Amino acid sequence: MAGEGDSLGGRLGRYARVGASVGGLAARLAGERYLGLSLDRDRHAAELRSALGGLKGPLMKAAQLLATIPDALPPEYARELAQLQANAPAMGWAFVRRRMAAELGPDWQTKFVRFDKEAAFAASLGQVHHAVLLDGRDVAAKLQYPDMASAMEADLNQLKLVFAVGQRLDPAIRTDEIHAEITNRLREELDYRREARHVDLYRHMLRDEPNVYVPEVVPGHSSDRLLTMTWLSGAPLLEWKARSQQERDALAVNMFRAWYVPFYSYGVIHGDPHLGNYTVRPDGAVNLMDFGCVRVFPPRFVRGSIELYRALMTDDQDRAVGAYEDWGFAGLSREMIAVLNRWAAFLYGPLMDDRPRRLTEGVAEGLGRDTAQNVFGELRRLGGVRPPREFVFMDRAAIGLGAVFIHLRASINWHRLFESLIETFDLETLAARQRMALVEARLA
């Protein structure tokens, strides 16, 4: 059977629950502000998570994204939304047969030797079935849930209500660019033909990385809402937590290169390092399997990331100013830059330390979020700042990968690993390389 989110009635029901939760908060905020009534934010944040917790679709994905963006929402809500799980009930076989017939025609089953009835993975926007082609290749058939385009637009309207909560709680938080970025990326995730081109892009960018594997798209078995790729076998990353230090460190290096070789060589990043989006091969190599959330950056944004690191290493204030301008910040005072540098020094800290170490060495639990809240609080005091939209998925990638390295208890010389990526950086070379890669992948 289809899940409740797959029917109009089910979708209206879930919107009623979420709308009532968010609308109730708005009413209580008005009471708090104008009538002097108190609002238990912790309790209401838990209520909102409960309302969202049974959902499958764009709103769930957006809520998970919001939980990883510093100060997009008040801390009580970020903590609760961070607990949302990505997995969702899969569509039943009768439903899958109808969906596959709609994508590949009524004789679709003749195109496969085997097509597993049970989904191997089920997530926010679609589910994956293991199958075997007539030529014997094992493939992953990623099938989008029905009517996701209309669900997306409706969910994005609901997302505006969630952002309104943050604006009412703190009008100094400027979330318009964050909302625009999440909206654009989520709409792209529904375009499986675009995702197929992302796969081709990653195959090109990582072609010289021996420890990172990218699947191959099977065009004749793909459509707007079905993406069939070669199957990559591997184990969940969490199964590697008990491996030796050497094995865990090697896996962390492979993960680092899988994400940051594309960024520092091509200005491209995979914006969703969720545990379900990759697996680990027996030798510690990494399989990348989901390419819906990919962000292409202006070359100068990449330069800004490197220049800020260099500025912090040499305590060069003018160089830091240029880095923030490369990132798209405008009108920053010296006081604002000093505050931003405190946050940057925290983020870049492990990269500036030329010795093997864990990411969390000398860092108290929760310090990262506390530091972020302190920094953004200072920025609000100074008049507020509008984060460039590129930060949304850059931050998500950094936070997600950081969590992976912490899980693995990896102890690496992050400084030398990072320097190996940026030592030959040249803006014009990256721009030319990026243009060529995008053209080859039919993305430009």
Side-chain angles (χ1 to χ4, degrees), residues 19-20 26 31 33 52 92 94 117 127 171 184 189 195 242 257-258 262 327 345 352 364 368-369 377 389 401 404 420:
R33 183 168 297 170
L52 289 168
K117 293 183 178 181
Q127 63 192 50
N184 289 345
E189 285 207 49
E195 182 173 350
R257 293 190 65 83
W327 273 351
M352 298 165 65
R369 182 165 292 281
R389 64 174 60 188
L401 281 176
V404 169
S420 71

Side-chain angles (χ1 to χ4, degrees), residues 409-429:
R409 305 186 308 282
S411 182
I412 291 170
N413 190 318
W414 305 100
H415 171 79
R416 295 190 183 180
L417 185 59
F418 183 61
E419 285 280 354
S420 71
L421 290 182
I422 67 171
E423 60 186 353
T424 61
F425 175 81
D426 176 77
L427 183 68
E428 295 305 319
T429 300

Side-chain angles (χ1 to χ4, degrees), residues 255-265 269 394 397-398 401 421:
M255 288 288 295
F256 189 95
R257 293 190 65 83
W259 256 262
Y260 286 124
V261 165
F263 181 69
Y264 288 105
S265 296
I269 207 159
M394 187 69 184
L401 281 176
L421 290 182

Side-chain angles (χ1 to χ4, degrees), residues 170-174 330-333 335-336 339 375-387:
D170 191 342
I173 301 174
R174 305 177 191 176
L332 294 178
S333 67
E335 195 173 3
M336 281 184 172
V339 174
V375 164
F376 282 96
E378 283 291 295
L379 291 174
R380 288 196 297 275
R381 181 183 64 79
L382 295 171
V385 65
R386 177 177 284 108

Side-chain angles (χ1 to χ4, degrees), residues 350-373:
L351 303 181
M352 298 165 65
D353 199 0
D354 189 7
R355 63 185 177 87
R357 54 164 286 179
R358 292 185 180 178
L359 283 186
T360 55
E361 184 175 318
V363 177
E365 184 177 354
L367 179 61
R369 182 165 292 281
D370 291 343
T371 301
Q373 289 169 8

